[in-house]
Amino acid sequence: MKSQKMPGHVCCDNHGEGPSVYDLPVPKSLRDEWLRLASRRHFLGRMGKTLGWAGLAVLMGEKLLSGVANAAEPALPRPEWLRLPNFPPTAKRCIYLFMSGAPPQMDMWDYKPGLSALYDKDLPDSVRGNQALTGMTAGQARFPIAPSHWGFAQHGKSGRWVGDLLPWTGKMVDDLALVYSLKTDAINHEPAILLMNTGNMIPGKPSLGAWLSYGLGSMNENLPTFVVLNSALIPHSNQQPISPKLWSSGFLSNEYSGVAFRSEGSPVLYLDNPQGMSSGTRRELVDTVNAINQLTYEDLGDPETNARIQEYEMAFRMQTSVPELVDMRDEPASTWTLYGEEAKKPGTFAHNCLLARRMAERGVRFTQIYQRGWDVHGDCVGMLPKLCAATDRGTYALVTDLKRRGMLDDTLVIWGGEFGRTVYSQGGLSKENYGRDHHPRCFTVWLAGGGAKPGIAYGETDEYCYNIVRDPVHVRDFNATLLHLLGIDHEKLTFRFQGLDQKFTGVIPAKIVPDLLS
Protein backbone atom coordinates (compact mmCIF):
# COMPACT_ATOMS: atom_id res chain seq x y z
CA MET A 1 0.00 0.00 0.00
CA LYS A 2 1.28 3.41 -0.89
CA SER A 3 2.14 5.44 2.16
CA GLN A 4 -0.20 8.34 2.89
CA LYS A 5 1.93 9.67 5.69
CA MET A 6 1.04 13.20 6.62
CA PRO A 7 4.18 15.36 6.41
CA GLY A 8 5.51 16.57 9.68
CA HIS A 9 2.98 14.67 11.78
CA VAL A 10 4.22 13.28 15.09
CA CYS A 11 2.83 9.88 16.09
CA CYS A 12 2.32 9.37 19.79
CA ASP A 13 4.06 5.99 19.79
CA ASN A 14 7.26 6.87 17.96
CA HIS A 15 7.54 10.66 18.24
CA GLY A 16 7.97 10.95 14.48
CA GLU A 17 11.07 8.74 14.43
CA GLY A 18 9.47 5.99 12.36
CA PRO A 19 6.41 5.11 10.28
CA SER A 20 3.19 6.79 11.21
CA VAL A 21 -0.22 5.18 11.57
CA TYR A 22 -0.86 6.03 7.91
CA ASP A 23 1.74 3.44 6.87
CA LEU A 24 -0.36 0.58 8.31
CA PRO A 25 -2.59 -1.54 6.00
CA VAL A 26 -5.89 -0.54 7.64
CA PRO A 27 -8.87 1.51 6.36
CA LYS A 28 -8.26 5.24 6.24
CA SER A 29 -11.22 6.04 8.51
CA LEU A 30 -9.76 3.78 11.22
CA ARG A 31 -6.31 5.27 10.75
CA ASP A 32 -7.72 8.79 11.17
CA GLU A 33 -9.55 7.79 14.36
CA TRP A 34 -6.47 6.03 15.78
CA LEU A 35 -4.30 9.03 15.03
CA ARG A 36 -6.74 11.39 16.67
CA LEU A 37 -7.10 9.28 19.84
CA ALA A 38 -3.40 8.49 20.10
CA SER A 39 -2.44 12.12 19.73
CA ARG A 40 -4.82 13.13 22.51
CA ARG A 41 -3.41 10.43 24.79
CA HIS A 42 0.07 11.61 24.03
CA PHE A 43 -0.89 15.21 24.80
CA LEU A 44 -2.46 14.24 28.12
CA GLY A 45 0.55 12.14 29.07
CA ARG A 46 2.91 15.02 28.43
CA MET A 47 0.61 17.46 30.19
CA GLY A 48 0.47 15.23 33.29
CA LYS A 49 4.25 15.24 33.55
CA THR A 50 4.35 19.00 32.97
CA LEU A 51 1.81 19.63 35.71
CA GLY A 52 3.68 17.28 38.00
CA TRP A 53 6.92 19.20 37.58
CA ALA A 54 5.05 22.47 38.05
CA GLY A 55 3.52 21.17 41.29
CA LEU A 56 6.92 19.98 42.48
CA ALA A 57 8.38 23.41 41.76
CA VAL A 58 5.65 25.07 43.83
CA LEU A 59 6.21 22.69 46.74
CA MET A 60 9.97 23.08 46.75
CA GLY A 61 10.06 26.75 45.91
CA GLU A 62 13.30 28.42 44.91
CA LYS A 63 15.43 25.53 46.16
CA LEU A 64 14.41 23.42 43.18
CA LEU A 65 15.38 26.15 40.75
CA SER A 66 18.59 27.18 42.47
CA GLY A 67 19.79 23.66 43.14
CA VAL A 68 21.02 24.64 46.59
CA ALA A 69 18.59 22.63 48.73
CA ASN A 70 20.05 21.78 52.10
CA ALA A 71 20.67 18.05 52.24
CA ALA A 72 19.81 18.05 55.94
CA GLU A 73 16.26 19.19 55.19
CA PRO A 74 13.63 17.02 53.52
CA ALA A 75 13.09 18.09 49.91
CA LEU A 76 9.32 17.81 50.34
CA PRO A 77 7.08 18.38 53.34
CA ARG A 78 6.90 15.08 55.20
CA PRO A 79 3.52 13.59 56.11
CA GLU A 80 2.63 13.59 59.77
CA TRP A 81 3.00 9.83 60.10
CA LEU A 82 6.65 9.99 59.08
CA ARG A 83 7.32 11.85 62.32
CA LEU A 84 6.22 8.88 64.42
CA PRO A 85 6.56 7.94 67.18
CA ASN A 86 4.86 11.01 68.58
CA PHE A 87 6.54 10.50 71.96
CA PRO A 88 9.02 7.99 73.44
CA PRO A 89 7.38 4.55 73.26
CA THR A 90 7.45 2.04 76.08
CA ALA A 91 6.96 -0.80 73.58
CA LYS A 92 9.07 -1.21 70.45
CA ARG A 93 7.40 -4.38 69.24
CA CYS A 94 4.18 -6.28 69.82
CA ILE A 95 3.04 -9.93 69.97
CA TYR A 96 -0.73 -10.41 69.80
CA LEU A 97 -2.16 -13.76 70.95
CA PHE A 98 -5.62 -13.78 69.42
CA MET A 99 -8.06 -16.41 70.72
CA SER A 100 -10.45 -16.50 67.77
CA GLY A 101 -13.97 -17.59 68.69
CA ALA A 102 -14.21 -15.80 72.06
CA PRO A 103 -13.06 -17.50 75.30
CA PRO A 104 -15.68 -17.63 78.10
CA GLN A 105 -14.52 -15.06 80.65
CA MET A 106 -16.45 -16.52 83.61
CA ASP A 107 -14.75 -19.92 83.17
CA MET A 108 -11.19 -18.53 82.95
CA TRP A 109 -10.78 -15.05 84.43
CA ASP A 110 -13.82 -13.29 85.84
CA TYR A 111 -14.48 -15.16 89.10
CA LYS A 112 -18.11 -15.08 90.26
CA PRO A 113 -18.45 -17.43 93.27
CA GLY A 114 -22.07 -16.43 93.84
CA LEU A 115 -23.15 -18.12 90.61
CA SER A 116 -22.95 -21.58 92.19
CA ALA A 117 -26.07 -20.87 94.21
CA LEU A 118 -27.90 -19.73 91.06
CA TYR A 119 -27.43 -22.92 89.04
CA ASP A 120 -30.30 -23.45 86.57
CA LYS A 121 -32.17 -20.35 87.74
CA ASP A 122 -33.38 -17.98 85.03
CA LEU A 123 -31.26 -14.94 84.29
CA PRO A 124 -33.39 -11.99 85.51
CA ASP A 125 -35.00 -9.93 82.76
CA SER A 126 -33.65 -6.82 84.48
CA VAL A 127 -30.10 -8.05 83.88
CA ARG A 128 -30.61 -8.94 80.23
CA GLY A 129 -32.67 -5.83 79.56
CA ASN A 130 -33.58 -5.18 75.92
CA GLN A 131 -30.37 -6.68 74.54
CA ALA A 132 -30.67 -8.19 71.08
CA LEU A 133 -29.59 -11.83 71.20
CA THR A 134 -28.17 -13.99 68.44
CA GLY A 135 -30.45 -16.22 66.43
CA MET A 136 -28.95 -19.18 68.25
CA THR A 137 -30.52 -18.32 71.63
CA ALA A 138 -33.15 -15.65 70.94
CA GLY A 139 -35.82 -18.33 70.62
CA GLN A 140 -35.03 -20.13 73.88
CA ALA A 141 -37.94 -20.45 76.29
CA ARG A 142 -35.63 -19.67 79.21
CA PHE A 143 -32.07 -18.58 79.96
CA PRO A 144 -30.74 -20.85 82.73
CA ILE A 145 -27.62 -19.69 84.57
CA ALA A 146 -24.62 -21.97 84.10
CA PRO A 147 -21.94 -21.47 86.79
CA SER A 148 -18.41 -22.41 85.83
CA HIS A 149 -17.73 -26.13 85.90
CA TRP A 150 -14.21 -25.43 87.21
CA GLY A 151 -12.78 -23.81 90.29
CA PHE A 152 -10.64 -20.72 90.73
CA ALA A 153 -7.58 -20.08 92.86
CA GLN A 154 -5.66 -17.00 93.96
CA HIS A 155 -2.20 -16.50 92.49
CA GLY A 156 0.77 -14.21 92.91
CA LYS A 157 1.40 -11.40 95.33
CA SER A 158 -1.68 -9.67 93.96
CA GLY A 159 -3.87 -12.61 94.99
CA ARG A 160 -5.61 -12.47 91.63
CA TRP A 161 -8.25 -15.15 90.97
CA VAL A 162 -7.45 -17.31 87.94
CA GLY A 163 -9.40 -20.30 86.65
CA ASP A 164 -8.02 -23.77 87.33
CA LEU A 165 -7.86 -24.34 83.57
CA LEU A 166 -4.91 -21.89 83.42
CA PRO A 167 -2.35 -23.22 85.92
CA TRP A 168 0.64 -21.92 83.92
CA THR A 169 -0.74 -18.46 83.26
CA GLY A 170 -1.65 -18.20 86.95
CA LYS A 171 2.06 -18.31 87.79
CA MET A 172 2.68 -15.00 85.97
CA VAL A 173 -0.48 -13.13 86.95
CA ASP A 174 1.61 -10.43 88.65
CA ASP A 175 3.02 -9.56 85.22
CA LEU A 176 -0.42 -9.02 83.68
CA ALA A 177 -2.71 -6.02 83.37
CA LEU A 178 -6.12 -7.70 83.35
CA VAL A 179 -9.06 -5.85 81.81
CA TYR A 180 -12.40 -7.36 82.88
CA SER A 181 -14.55 -4.64 81.31
CA LEU A 182 -13.89 -4.69 77.58
CA LYS A 183 -16.99 -4.28 75.40
CA THR A 184 -17.66 -4.30 71.68
CA ASP A 185 -20.34 -3.22 69.20
CA ALA A 186 -20.65 -6.56 67.41
CA ILE A 187 -22.52 -9.68 68.44
CA ASN A 188 -21.36 -11.95 65.61
CA HIS A 189 -17.86 -13.23 64.94
CA GLU A 190 -17.02 -11.68 61.58
CA PRO A 191 -17.66 -8.01 62.45
CA ALA A 192 -16.32 -8.47 66.00
CA ILE A 193 -13.02 -10.00 64.85
CA LEU A 194 -12.68 -7.27 62.22
CA LEU A 195 -13.29 -4.59 64.86
CA MET A 196 -10.59 -5.99 67.14
CA ASN A 197 -8.08 -6.48 64.32
CA THR A 198 -8.78 -3.54 62.02
CA GLY A 199 -10.72 -1.07 64.17
CA ASN A 200 -13.74 -1.35 61.88
CA MET A 201 -16.56 -3.87 61.40
CA ILE A 202 -16.48 -3.41 57.61
CA PRO A 203 -13.86 -5.36 55.58
CA GLY A 204 -11.20 -3.54 53.61
CA LYS A 205 -9.53 -1.55 56.41
CA PRO A 206 -5.87 -1.99 57.43
CA SER A 207 -5.11 -4.24 60.37
CA LEU A 208 -3.21 -3.12 63.47
CA GLY A 209 -0.02 -4.73 62.18
CA ALA A 210 -0.36 -2.95 58.85
CA TRP A 211 -0.89 0.42 60.56
CA LEU A 212 2.24 -0.15 62.66
CA SER A 213 4.24 -1.18 59.58
CA TYR A 214 3.06 1.97 57.80
CA GLY A 215 3.58 4.30 60.75
CA LEU A 216 6.69 2.97 62.49
CA GLY A 217 8.44 1.07 59.72
CA SER A 218 10.71 -1.93 59.93
CA MET A 219 13.21 -2.79 62.66
CA ASN A 220 15.12 -5.25 60.48
CA GLU A 221 16.25 -5.70 56.88
CA ASN A 222 15.81 -9.41 56.36
CA LEU A 223 12.38 -10.29 57.78
CA PRO A 224 8.90 -8.84 57.28
CA THR A 225 7.72 -6.10 59.59
CA PHE A 226 4.42 -7.91 60.21
CA VAL A 227 4.16 -11.72 60.49
CA VAL A 228 1.06 -13.89 61.04
CA LEU A 229 1.14 -17.39 62.54
CA ASN A 230 -1.98 -19.56 62.38
CA SER A 231 -1.88 -22.30 65.01
CA ALA A 232 -2.97 -25.90 64.46
CA LEU A 233 -6.65 -26.66 64.90
CA ILE A 234 -7.83 -28.39 68.07
CA PRO A 235 -9.65 -31.61 67.08
CA HIS A 236 -13.45 -31.42 67.29
CA SER A 237 -13.45 -27.72 68.19
CA ASN A 238 -15.87 -25.29 66.55
CA GLN A 239 -13.69 -23.70 63.86
CA GLN A 240 -14.85 -20.15 63.33
CA PRO A 241 -13.10 -19.19 60.04
CA ILE A 242 -10.53 -16.44 59.73
CA SER A 243 -9.13 -14.97 56.53
CA PRO A 244 -6.34 -12.68 55.23
CA LYS A 245 -8.55 -9.61 55.55
CA LEU A 246 -7.63 -9.70 59.24
CA TRP A 247 -3.98 -9.01 58.40
CA SER A 248 -4.60 -7.04 55.22
CA SER A 249 -3.13 -3.60 54.50
CA GLY A 250 -6.52 -2.43 53.23
CA PHE A 251 -6.19 0.90 51.43
CA LEU A 252 -2.53 1.18 52.44
CA SER A 253 0.18 -0.08 50.13
CA ASN A 254 0.40 -3.87 49.93
CA GLU A 255 3.91 -3.83 51.36
CA TYR A 256 2.40 -3.21 54.83
CA SER A 257 0.21 -6.33 54.91
CA GLY A 258 1.04 -9.29 57.12
CA VAL A 259 3.09 -12.21 55.81
CA ALA A 260 1.46 -15.48 56.88
CA PHE A 261 3.99 -18.23 57.66
CA ARG A 262 3.02 -21.83 56.97
CA SER A 263 3.58 -24.62 59.47
CA GLU A 264 4.34 -27.29 56.86
CA GLY A 265 6.95 -27.21 54.14
CA SER A 266 8.62 -23.92 53.37
CA PRO A 267 7.33 -21.23 55.78
CA VAL A 268 6.70 -18.95 52.80
CA LEU A 269 5.65 -20.15 49.35
CA TYR A 270 8.29 -20.04 46.62
CA LEU A 271 11.00 -19.20 49.15
CA ASP A 272 13.29 -21.95 47.86
CA ASN A 273 15.03 -21.63 44.50
CA PRO A 274 13.73 -23.89 41.75
CA GLN A 275 15.84 -26.95 40.99
CA GLY A 276 18.87 -25.94 38.95
CA MET A 277 18.75 -22.25 39.88
CA SER A 278 21.63 -20.93 41.96
CA SER A 279 21.41 -18.03 44.39
CA GLY A 280 23.47 -15.91 41.99
CA THR A 281 21.08 -16.61 39.14
CA ARG A 282 18.14 -15.78 41.39
CA ARG A 283 19.81 -12.48 42.29
CA GLU A 284 20.23 -11.61 38.60
CA LEU A 285 16.61 -12.51 37.92
CA VAL A 286 15.34 -10.34 40.78
CA ASP A 287 17.56 -7.45 39.66
CA THR A 288 16.26 -7.70 36.10
CA VAL A 289 12.60 -7.87 37.12
CA ASN A 290 13.06 -4.97 39.54
CA ALA A 291 14.74 -2.90 36.83
CA ILE A 292 11.70 -3.39 34.62
CA ASN A 293 9.39 -2.57 37.52
CA GLN A 294 11.42 0.56 38.25
CA LEU A 295 10.89 1.77 34.68
CA THR A 296 7.17 1.14 35.09
CA TYR A 297 7.15 3.02 38.40
CA GLU A 298 9.00 5.99 36.90
CA ASP A 299 6.59 6.07 33.97
CA LEU A 300 3.30 5.60 35.85
CA GLY A 301 4.11 6.47 39.46
CA ASP A 302 1.89 3.68 40.81
CA PRO A 303 2.94 3.05 44.45
CA GLU A 304 1.92 -0.61 44.13
CA THR A 305 4.71 -1.05 41.56
CA ASN A 306 7.17 0.23 44.14
CA ALA A 307 5.63 -2.14 46.69
CA ARG A 308 6.23 -5.02 44.28
CA ILE A 309 9.90 -4.06 44.03
CA GLN A 310 10.21 -4.04 47.82
CA GLU A 311 8.47 -7.42 48.07
CA TYR A 312 10.85 -9.03 45.56
CA GLU A 313 13.81 -7.68 47.50
CA MET A 314 12.40 -8.88 50.82
CA ALA A 315 11.66 -12.31 49.36
CA PHE A 316 15.28 -12.64 48.23
CA ARG A 317 16.65 -11.65 51.64
CA MET A 318 14.20 -14.01 53.36
CA GLN A 319 15.78 -16.93 51.51
CA THR A 320 18.63 -16.67 54.00
CA SER A 321 16.94 -15.22 57.08
CA VAL A 322 13.83 -17.44 57.29
CA PRO A 323 15.60 -20.84 57.29
CA GLU A 324 17.82 -19.56 60.11
CA LEU A 325 14.76 -18.24 61.97
CA VAL A 326 12.81 -21.51 61.93
CA ASP A 327 15.83 -23.74 62.59
CA MET A 328 15.55 -24.13 66.36
CA ARG A 329 18.46 -26.51 66.86
CA ASP A 330 20.39 -23.66 68.47
CA GLU A 331 17.86 -23.41 71.33
CA PRO A 332 19.24 -24.68 74.67
CA ALA A 333 17.60 -27.42 76.71
CA SER A 334 16.20 -24.78 79.06
CA THR A 335 14.00 -23.49 76.23
CA TRP A 336 12.31 -26.86 75.78
CA THR A 337 11.93 -27.23 79.53
CA LEU A 338 10.08 -23.93 79.55
CA TYR A 339 7.91 -24.34 76.44
CA GLY A 340 7.37 -28.11 76.68
CA GLU A 341 7.63 -30.90 74.12
CA GLU A 342 4.61 -29.55 72.25
CA ALA A 343 6.74 -26.63 71.09
CA LYS A 344 8.83 -29.00 68.99
CA LYS A 345 5.85 -29.62 66.69
CA PRO A 346 5.60 -26.94 63.98
CA GLY A 347 2.22 -25.27 63.86
CA THR A 348 1.27 -25.80 67.49
CA PHE A 349 0.49 -22.74 69.58
CA ALA A 350 3.54 -23.37 71.79
CA HIS A 351 5.79 -23.65 68.72
CA ASN A 352 4.40 -20.38 67.38
CA CYS A 353 5.02 -18.67 70.72
CA LEU A 354 8.67 -19.72 70.59
CA LEU A 355 8.86 -18.61 66.96
CA ALA A 356 7.38 -15.24 67.97
CA ARG A 357 10.10 -14.78 70.58
CA ARG A 358 12.77 -15.53 67.96
CA MET A 359 11.13 -13.01 65.63
CA ALA A 360 11.09 -10.38 68.36
CA GLU A 361 14.82 -10.95 68.88
CA ARG A 362 15.41 -10.39 65.17
CA GLY A 363 13.42 -7.17 64.95
CA VAL A 364 9.99 -8.21 63.69
CA ARG A 365 7.78 -5.29 64.67
CA PHE A 366 4.42 -7.09 64.98
CA THR A 367 3.65 -10.80 65.27
CA GLN A 368 0.08 -12.07 65.51
CA ILE A 369 -0.69 -15.64 66.57
CA TYR A 370 -4.20 -16.94 65.95
CA GLN A 371 -5.66 -19.90 67.83
CA ARG A 372 -9.09 -20.87 66.57
CA GLY A 373 -11.69 -23.05 68.27
CA TRP A 374 -13.00 -20.97 71.19
CA ASP A 375 -16.57 -20.81 69.85
CA VAL A 376 -18.05 -22.99 72.61
CA HIS A 377 -21.77 -22.93 71.80
CA GLY A 378 -22.01 -26.51 73.05
CA ASP A 379 -19.87 -29.04 74.92
CA CYS A 380 -18.05 -26.28 76.78
CA VAL A 381 -17.04 -28.76 79.48
CA GLY A 382 -15.54 -31.10 76.91
CA MET A 383 -13.75 -28.56 74.70
CA LEU A 384 -12.53 -25.79 77.02
CA PRO A 385 -9.93 -27.93 78.84
CA LYS A 386 -8.42 -28.91 75.48
CA LEU A 387 -8.24 -25.31 74.28
CA CYS A 388 -6.67 -24.09 77.51
CA ALA A 389 -4.19 -26.99 77.57
CA ALA A 390 -3.13 -26.14 74.00
CA THR A 391 -2.44 -22.48 74.81
CA ASP A 392 -1.75 -22.06 78.53
CA ARG A 393 1.83 -23.24 78.75
CA GLY A 394 2.94 -21.57 75.51
CA THR A 395 1.49 -18.26 76.69
CA TYR A 396 3.30 -18.51 80.03
CA ALA A 397 6.53 -19.58 78.35
CA LEU A 398 6.49 -16.66 75.92
CA VAL A 399 6.04 -13.98 78.59
CA THR A 400 8.53 -15.68 80.94
CA ASP A 401 11.07 -16.12 78.15
CA LEU A 402 10.85 -12.47 77.13
CA LYS A 403 11.18 -11.43 80.77
CA ARG A 404 14.27 -13.49 81.52
CA ARG A 405 15.94 -12.20 78.33
CA GLY A 406 15.27 -8.59 79.31
CA MET A 407 12.89 -8.10 76.37
CA LEU A 408 9.53 -7.84 78.15
CA ASP A 409 10.11 -4.21 79.11
CA ASP A 410 9.88 -3.11 75.46
CA THR A 411 7.75 -5.94 74.04
CA LEU A 412 3.97 -5.64 74.41
CA VAL A 413 2.12 -8.98 74.66
CA ILE A 414 -1.67 -8.99 74.19
CA TRP A 415 -4.07 -11.87 74.91
CA GLY A 416 -7.78 -11.86 74.06
CA GLY A 417 -10.64 -12.68 71.71
CA GLU A 418 -13.36 -10.74 69.91
CA PHE A 419 -16.11 -10.77 72.58
CA GLY A 420 -17.25 -12.75 75.63
CA ARG A 421 -19.72 -15.57 76.30
CA THR A 422 -23.09 -15.65 78.04
CA VAL A 423 -23.51 -16.75 81.65
CA TYR A 424 -26.70 -18.52 80.64
CA SER A 425 -26.55 -21.83 78.83
CA GLN A 426 -27.21 -22.17 75.14
CA GLY A 427 -29.38 -25.23 74.72
CA GLY A 428 -29.62 -27.84 77.46
CA LEU A 429 -27.94 -27.43 80.86
CA SER A 430 -26.62 -30.15 83.14
CA LYS A 431 -24.04 -30.38 85.90
CA GLU A 432 -21.70 -32.02 83.41
CA ASN A 433 -22.15 -29.80 80.38
CA TYR A 434 -23.42 -26.53 78.95
CA GLY A 435 -22.86 -24.17 76.02
CA ARG A 436 -22.37 -20.42 75.92
CA ASP A 437 -23.55 -17.94 73.28
CA HIS A 438 -21.89 -14.74 72.07
CA HIS A 439 -21.81 -11.83 74.50
CA PRO A 440 -20.56 -8.36 73.46
CA ARG A 441 -21.33 -6.50 76.71
CA CYS A 442 -18.25 -7.64 78.64
CA PHE A 443 -15.17 -9.81 78.19
CA THR A 444 -11.65 -10.16 79.55
CA VAL A 445 -8.31 -9.43 77.88
CA TRP A 446 -4.86 -8.80 79.27
CA LEU A 447 -1.62 -6.97 78.49
CA ALA A 448 1.92 -7.78 79.60
CA GLY A 449 5.16 -5.85 79.22
CA GLY A 450 5.78 -2.91 76.93
CA GLY A 451 4.79 -0.32 79.54
CA ALA A 452 1.51 -1.94 80.61
CA LYS A 453 1.04 -1.74 84.40
CA PRO A 454 1.71 -5.21 85.85
CA GLY A 455 -0.38 -6.93 88.49
CA ILE A 456 -3.53 -4.85 88.14
CA ALA A 457 -7.18 -5.68 87.49
CA TYR A 458 -9.15 -2.99 85.67
CA GLY A 459 -12.93 -2.79 85.44
CA GLU A 460 -15.65 -4.83 87.06
CA THR A 461 -18.73 -6.74 85.95
CA ASP A 462 -21.94 -7.50 87.85
CA GLU A 463 -22.57 -10.67 89.86
CA TYR A 464 -23.81 -12.41 86.71
CA CYS A 465 -20.74 -11.46 84.64
CA TYR A 466 -23.21 -9.92 82.21
CA ASN A 467 -22.99 -6.13 82.50
CA ILE A 468 -20.11 -3.77 83.30
CA VAL A 469 -20.57 -1.89 86.57
CA ARG A 470 -17.23 -0.06 86.73
CA ASP A 471 -14.70 1.37 84.25
CA PRO A 472 -15.97 0.19 80.85
CA VAL A 473 -13.39 -0.01 78.04
CA HIS A 474 -14.60 0.03 74.46
CA VAL A 475 -12.55 -1.72 71.79
CA ARG A 476 -11.72 1.73 70.36
CA ASP A 477 -10.29 2.83 73.73
CA PHE A 478 -8.35 -0.41 74.02
CA ASN A 479 -6.83 0.08 70.56
CA ALA A 480 -5.98 3.71 71.32
CA THR A 481 -4.16 2.51 74.44
CA LEU A 482 -2.19 -0.07 72.47
CA LEU A 483 -1.02 2.61 70.06
CA HIS A 484 -0.08 4.88 72.98
CA LEU A 485 2.20 2.19 74.42
CA LEU A 486 3.92 2.08 71.02
CA GLY A 487 4.50 5.84 71.10
CA ILE A 488 1.61 6.78 68.79
CA ASP A 489 -1.13 9.35 69.27
CA HIS A 490 -4.02 7.51 67.65
CA GLU A 491 -5.37 10.80 66.28
CA LYS A 492 -2.16 11.36 64.29
CA LEU A 493 -1.73 7.95 62.67
CA THR A 494 -3.79 8.75 59.56
CA PHE A 495 -4.04 8.05 55.85
CA ARG A 496 -6.12 10.10 53.42
CA PHE A 497 -8.59 7.81 51.64
CA GLN A 498 -12.02 8.48 50.11
CA GLY A 499 -11.89 12.08 51.30
CA LEU A 500 -11.33 11.14 54.95
CA ASP A 501 -8.26 11.04 57.19
CA GLN A 502 -8.66 7.36 58.05
CA LYS A 503 -7.55 6.15 61.50
CA PHE A 504 -7.17 2.75 63.15
CA THR A 505 -9.51 3.90 65.92
CA GLY A 506 -12.13 5.18 63.45
CA VAL A 507 -14.17 8.37 63.46
CA ILE A 508 -15.97 7.90 66.80
CA PRO A 509 -13.94 9.50 69.64
CA ALA A 510 -11.60 7.12 71.47
CA LYS A 511 -9.50 7.64 74.56
CA ILE A 512 -6.55 5.90 76.14
CA VAL A 513 -6.96 4.18 79.51
CA PRO A 514 -4.29 5.79 81.77
CA ASP A 515 -4.69 3.21 84.56
CA LEU A 516 -3.33 0.52 82.23
CA LEU A 517 -0.05 2.39 81.79
CA SER A 518 2.95 2.02 84.10
Side-chain angles (χ1 to χ4, degrees):
M1 176 183 290
K2 183 178 179 181
S3 173
Q4 302 181 41
K5 180 176 179 180
M6 296 178 65
H9 190 277
V10 179
C11 173
C12 73
D13 293 323
N14 53 44
H15 296 257
E17 298 298 328
S20 75
V21 293
Y22 278 86
D23 293 305
L24 300 177
V26 294
K28 183 177 184 300
S29 60
L30 182 59
R31 286 181 282 168
D32 290 343
E33 181 180 1
W34 185 11
L35 181 62
R36 184 179 69 256
L37 294 174
S39 298
R40 182 172 62 184
R41 184 166 63 247
H42 191 207
F43 168 77
L44 292 174
R46 284 183 168 177
M47 183 58 67
K49 293 178 181 179
T50 302
L51 291 174
W53 280 110
L56 183 63
V58 171
L59 290 172
M60 297 185 65
E62 296 180 356
K63 292 181 179 180
L64 179 65
L65 302 176
S66 63
V68 294
N70 186 347
E73 295 183 26
L76 294 172
R78 301 179 70 194
E80 186 70 27
W81 65 268
L82 284 179
R83 290 193 280 270
L84 296 177
N86 304 117
F87 41 83
T90 52
K92 295 179 180 178
R93 63 189 76 81
C94 181
I95 300 173
Y96 202 141
L97 310 178
F98 195 83
M99 307 295 112
S100 181
Q105 70 278 10
M106 70 288 294
D107 289 314
M108 301 168 65
W109 295 107
D110 201 350
Y111 182 42
K112 301 297 179 184
L115 290 177
S116 297
L118 300 175
Y119 170 77
D120 201 26
K121 295 185 182 300
D122 288 338
L123 181 69
D125 291 341
S126 60
V127 174
R128 185 161 56 89
N130 60 356
Q131 180 191 13
L133 306 180
T134 73
M136 292 168 283
T137 57
Q140 289 187 184
R142 56 189 299 258
F143 300 93
I145 293 173
S148 180
H149 182 77
W150 301 274
F152 277 67
Q154 289 180 287
H155 292 268
K157 295 180 180 179
S158 60
R160 199 72 58 219
W161 291 95
V162 180
D164 291 345
L165 291 174
L166 301 172
W168 289 94
T169 307
K171 297 179 180 182
M172 63 173 189
V173 72
D174 286 339
D175 293 317
L176 310 182
L178 281 158
V179 183
Y180 294 125
S181 54
L182 205 64
K183 63 176 183 176
T184 183
D185 296 332
I187 197 171
N188 288 316
H189 291 288
E190 187 74 2
I193 295 175
L194 280 167
L195 185 59
M196 288 295 291
N197 284 262
T198 72
N200 199 292
M201 291 190 287
I202 300 174
K205 300 302 175 81
S207 60
L208 172 58
W211 276 113
L212 294 179
S213 298
Y214 161 75
L216 296 178
S218 177
M219 297 172 63
N220 73 91
E221 294 183 352
N222 299 319
L223 288 169
T225 305
F226 174 18
V227 175
V228 175
L229 302 172
N230 284 302
S231 302
L233 304 179
I234 309 301
H236 311 298
S237 60
N238 190 1
Q239 301 301 332
Q240 177 63 30
I242 58 175
S243 64
K245 61 177 170 286
L246 299 179
W247 50 90
S248 164
S249 58
F251 45 72
L252 301 176
S253 174
N254 193 52
E255 65 188 284
Y256 303 119
S257 61
V259 176
F261 277 27
R262 304 190 308 159
S263 58
E264 297 181 1
S266 177
V268 181
L269 286 173
Y270 312 116
L271 192 64
D272 299 327
N273 288 327
Q275 187 175 1
M277 176 177 282
S278 66
S279 181
T281 303
R282 180 67 168 256
R283 177 71 264 180
E284 292 180 7
L285 175 63
V286 171
D287 287 344
T288 302
V289 171
N290 281 349
I292 296 172
N293 284 332
Q294 184 63 35
L295 292 174
T296 303
Y297 178 71
E298 292 173 358
D299 187 38
L300 301 177
D302 184 359
E304 288 304 310
T305 304
N306 190 52
R308 188 180 303 121
I309 294 172
Q310 302 304 320
E311 288 167 355
Y312 277 129
E313 286 295 333
M314 175 58 70
F316 182 80
R317 295 195 296 271
M318 284 169 60
Q319 286 189 301
T320 300
S321 61
V322 170
E324 184 273 335
L325 168 70
V326 300
D327 184 357
M328 299 185 180
R329 290 176 294 181
D330 60 341
E331 291 290 344
S334 59
T335 295
W336 306 113
T337 300
L338 178 62
Y339 285 84
E341 289 297 310
E342 193 73 7
K344 294 182 179 180
K345 302 175 185 178
T348 62
F349 183 83
H351 179 90
N352 286 341
C353 285
L354 176 54
L355 194 56
R357 188 268 289 165
R358 292 172 65 89
M359 289 182 186
E361 286 180 310
R362 289 158 176 78
V364 173
R365 175 79 69 182
F366 188 84
T367 303
Q368 188 143 19
I369 302 176
Y370 288 92
Q371 178 62 67
R372 295 161 59 193
W374 296 91
D375 196 17
V376 287
H377 287 283
D379 194 22
C380 186
V381 175
M383 285 309 309
L384 200 55
K386 298 176 183 178
L387 291 158
C388 289
T391 57
D392 182 36
R393 184 169 183 174
T395 300
Y396 164 78
L398 172 62
V399 174
T400 303
D401 202 2
L402 291 170
K403 187 175 182 180
R404 72 184 186 183
R405 291 170 183 268
M407 297 175 61
L408 188 60
D409 288 344
D410 59 5
T411 303
L412 177 63
V413 182
I414 310 164
W415 184 99
E418 65 269 32
F419 43 56
R421 314 298 304 194
T422 56
V423 70
Y424 62 79
S425 179
Q426 176 178 337
L429 170 64
S430 71
K431 288 286 187 180
E432 299 304 320
N433 204 10
Y434 50 82
R436 298 197 187 278
D437 199 9
H438 308 166
H439 188 59
R441 287 191 181 183
C442 64
F443 60 111
T444 301
V445 298
W446 57 253
L447 308 173
K453 186 178 295 185
I456 69 163
Y458 187 84
E460 184 181 348
T461 59
D462 61 18
E463 60 182 318
Y464 297 97
C465 198
Y466 203 89
N467 296 299
I468 297 170
V469 297
R470 181 172 58 86
D471 297 329
V473 180
H474 193 277
V475 168
R476 289 184 296 272
D477 304 328
F478 183 68
N479 286 336
T481 304
L482 301 184
L483 292 179
H484 182 88
L485 290 167
L486 289 151
I488 299 172
D489 180 341
H490 70 96
E491 297 283 1
K492 295 182 178 180
L493 179 59
T494 65
F495 184 88
R496 191 77 173 175
F497 179 68
Q498 294 182 337
L500 179 68
D501 288 331
Q502 304 276 352
K503 300 182 298 181
F504 177 55
T505 50
V507 296
I508 299 175
K511 60 183 183 300
I512 65 168
V513 184
D515 289 347
L516 296 180
L517 311 178
S518 293

